[in-house]
Amino acid sequence: MLEGLVKEQLLKDIPMHLEWKSCELTEMNIQIDHIHLIVSMPPKMSLSQLMGILKGKTAIKIFKSYPQLKLKPYWGNHFWSRGYCADTIGLDEDKIKKYVKYQEEQERLEEQQRLNFGPL
């Protein structure tokens, strides 16, 4: 779902909302069904607060821009799933940045390999 015009919209809106909340975006990778972000955020802000802002504001904008997404077989008035996964970055920061940046390419290669060789 997160491709084409929707992906382009998110590529503009997510950095804008992060900047508005004084957060620094280091890496972003939008996959077809999820997004990876590496963000530095101010200590006064909670992660749940930031995720609520990002999910809420982007969902409103996407549904206004593409009202057909509110219709079945999609999700009613829900664009994002309820949860999120978060972790802190310490010693392996460079490794995690590379993972986020190149994950889409790696998944594409693995999928192509699976299609070429079939089931094991």
Side-chain angles (χ1 to χ4, degrees):
M1 190 72 230
L2 304 178
E3 56 188 356
L5 295 174
V6 172
K7 182 176 181 176
E8 288 178 29
Q9 187 71 52
L10 292 170
L11 285 169
K12 289 187 289 185
D13 289 350
I14 290 173
M16 179 188 66
H17 291 302
L18 289 171
E19 185 178 336
W20 172 56
K21 293 315 258 177
S22 302
C23 296
E24 181 182 334
L25 178 64
T26 304
E27 289 290 339
M28 178 168 60
N29 186 323
I30 299 179
Q31 303 287 301
I32 195 165
D33 61 351
H34 66 280
I35 298 175
H36 289 273
L37 298 172
I38 297 179
V39 176
S40 178
M41 53 192 276
K44 65 182 178 184
M45 175 178 280
S46 73
L47 179 60
S48 62
Q49 186 181 24
L50 178 62
M51 293 308 299
I53 290 165
L54 286 178
K55 286 181 162 189
K57 297 286 187 187
T58 56
I60 289 167
K61 180 109 179 239
I62 294 292
F63 280 142
K64 281 184 178 179
S65 300
Y66 309 100
Q68 69 274 17
L69 293 178
K70 283 189 172 186
L71 307 173
K72 288 184 178 182
Y74 299 108
W75 317 273
N77 287 321
H78 304 284
F79 187 76
W80 300 109
S81 64
R82 288 185 77 193
Y84 55 88
C85 177
D87 200 355
T88 59
I89 297 176
L91 297 175
D92 292 332
E93 183 175 359
D94 288 336
K95 183 188 277 187
I96 293 170
K97 285 179 185 177
K98 287 178 186 173
Y99 169 81
V100 169
K101 189 172 187 175
Y102 298 109
Q103 182 195 20
E104 184 175 14
E105 182 180 333
Q106 183 63 35
E107 285 180 2
R108 196 175 316 121
L109 290 171
E110 289 173 5
E111 179 69 19
Q112 187 63 42
Q113 221 173 15
R114 191 169 65 242
L115 293 173
N116 289 339
F117 295 109
L120 297 175

